[in-house]
Amino acid sequence: MKLNTLKYKTGSRGHKQKIAGRGFGSGSKRGFKGNKGQGQRSTVNVRVGFEGGQTPLYIRVGKFGFNNKNFANNYNVINIKDLSKLPSANVDRKILEDAKIIKHNKLPIKLIGSNNVSLDKPYILNINKITKGAKEAIEKANGTINLL
């Protein structure tokens, strides 16, 4: 055994961590919170991105990207199954409004559906747009479509 080979027993000399904010013996006069202000108080209620009243970065940097809301084509959409609820075979805006199938009277009317729906009578439609499947179903029932 030589003096230069002596080592301390594991765990006997570990640094004991001091608890901040418990007097001068903890190694900090101010509990590692800095000098004065909101951040040193006991309850710090600052939301994420707050910059002390200065206009935050996420507002200073402008918005970017594209939104299709202003350019989208909106329709009164009618399912082909809803045609059976109508009293007559002539279908136009007035009849659809009276039957309360469409709500927005200024929007164009679009008929959707598939071609495997069987219709009970031939309909005469006066609408703005129609899907391929709905068109085939109307023609299969010997109906006519007048696009406005």
Side-chain angles (χ1 to χ4, degrees):
M1 180 182 288
K2 297 179 184 175
L3 287 176
N4 66 342
T5 61
L6 289 177
K7 293 186 177 179
Y8 292 102
K9 191 172 181 184
T10 309
S12 66
R13 279 179 51 94
H15 174 69
K16 194 168 183 186
Q17 187 175 0
K18 295 180 180 179
I19 300 171
R22 296 293 178 266
F24 289 109
S26 67
S28 171
K29 185 173 171 182
R30 294 181 173 87
F32 304 104
K33 291 185 172 190
N35 294 327
K36 297 184 188 173
Q38 187 176 14
Q40 193 179 13
R41 307 298 180 224
S42 59
T43 54
V44 181
N45 293 323
V46 181
R47 64 174 162 71
V48 177
F50 184 68
E51 297 182 18
Q54 171 179 303
T55 305
L57 181 69
Y58 68 88
I59 291 177
R60 277 178 287 167
V61 175
K63 295 178 183 174
F64 58 93
F66 177 75
N67 186 345
N68 197 42
K69 183 180 176 185
N70 299 331
F71 306 103
N73 294 324
N74 297 319
Y75 292 98
N76 279 314
V77 179
I78 307 164
N79 199 314
I80 199 164
K81 294 174 186 173
D82 294 336
L83 295 178
S84 61
K85 299 175 186 175
L86 298 173
S88 69
N90 286 340
V91 179
D92 60 354
R93 181 176 295 277
K94 179 94 174 85
I95 291 171
L96 292 170
E97 285 173 3
D98 293 342
K100 297 189 178 174
I101 292 176
I102 61 173
K103 295 174 185 165
H104 306 287
N105 58 357
K106 292 185 179 178
L107 292 177
I109 301 167
K110 182 173 184 176
L111 182 71
I112 62 170
S114 60
N115 59 356
N116 55 8
V117 176
S118 60
L119 298 172
D120 51 350
K121 54 188 168 186
Y123 289 96
I124 301 167
L125 300 172
N126 295 310
I127 56 174
N128 300 88
K129 209 151 181 135
I130 188 166
T131 61
K132 183 180 173 184
K135 185 176 182 180
E136 291 173 4
I138 295 291
E139 289 171 350
K140 196 191 310 183
N142 296 325
T144 58
I145 303 157
N146 301 321
L147 293 178
L148 304 175

